[in-house]
């Protein structure tokens, strides 16, 4: 089953989110790609999404594309621990959920900073990143 997470590769918050997901996905269900990377750009084109705006995590499961708070909740639903319980928030209408998501997305560089280079993952984690 295909589960791909596209994320902003220069955002410290986004990188932290990827690390968070990896730690709570011991069976390695998720694959990852930076939105700015060639694989990420190719997938954005495939799904007819903007290739120059990186203000949302994109989650693809079984050829269905999810963005913003819906993506975050769908991902949380598949993590180990109590994180799947957060999925109950899906009952809140999407426009209301996305207000909080958009606030964080708009301020993520200011609040969490940016990185000049990507992390170098261990070989077992590296194979989870699309190339």
């Amino acid at each position: 089953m295909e589960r791909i997470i596209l994320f902003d590769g220069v955002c410290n918050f986004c990188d932290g989110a990827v690390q968070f997901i990896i730690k709570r996905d011991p069976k390695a269900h998720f694959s990852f790609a930076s939105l700015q990377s060639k694989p990420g750009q190719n997938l954005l084109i495939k799904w007819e999404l903007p290739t120059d705006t990186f203000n949302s995590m994109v989650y693809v499961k079984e050829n269905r594309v999810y963005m913003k708070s819906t993506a975050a909740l769908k991902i949380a639903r598949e993590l180990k621990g109590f994180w799947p319980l957060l999925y109950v928030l899906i009952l809140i209408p999407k426009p209301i959920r996305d207000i909080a998501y958009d606030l964080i997305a708009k301020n993520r560089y200011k609040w969490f900073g940016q990185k000049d280079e990507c992390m170098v993952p261990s070989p077992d984690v590296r194979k989870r990143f699309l190339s």
Side-chain angles (χ1 to χ4, degrees):
M1 176 182 320
E2 178 183 56
R3 296 177 190 153
I4 301 170
I5 298 172
L6 302 180
F7 64 97
D8 182 346
V10 299
C11 168
N12 284 332
F13 179 77
C14 304
D15 179 63
V18 168
Q19 297 309 312
F20 179 89
I21 293 165
I22 288 170
K23 288 179 185 173
R24 287 154 186 84
D25 179 30
K27 294 186 179 178
H29 294 295
F30 297 107
S31 297
F32 303 89
S34 162
L35 289 161
Q36 297 91 338
S37 69
K38 185 154 182 71
Q41 289 284 297
N42 288 340
L43 291 171
L44 291 172
I45 291 167
K46 174 183 174 181
W47 297 313
E48 299 179 0
L49 296 171
T51 58
D52 58 350
T53 306
F54 308 120
N55 60 1
S56 177
M57 174 189 306
V58 178
Y59 176 48
V60 180
K61 181 178 179 183
E62 299 172 350
N63 269 340
R64 294 208 50 199
V65 178
Y66 304 98
M67 298 176 67
K68 297 188 178 190
S69 64
T70 304
L73 292 172
K74 294 273 186 186
I75 292 166
R77 185 180 189 185
E78 298 187 48
L79 299 178
K80 73 174 190 170
F82 73 90
W83 299 104
L85 297 175
L86 292 176
Y87 194 71
V88 72
L89 297 174
I90 203 82
L91 298 173
I92 297 170
K94 182 175 173 19
I96 295 170
R97 282 187 280 120
D98 282 347
I99 289 171
Y101 188 98
D102 289 338
L103 178 66
I104 294 169
K106 180 181 175 185
N107 293 291
R108 69 189 185 279
Y109 295 145
K110 181 170 43 172
W111 293 345
F112 303 100
Q114 290 179 270
K115 53 179 67 210
D116 294 328
E117 50 192 52
C118 296
M119 64 152 192
V120 179
S122 64
D124 59 323
V125 173
R126 190 176 311 134
K127 67 184 175 192
R128 297 178 65 182
F129 286 79
L130 304 177
S131 57

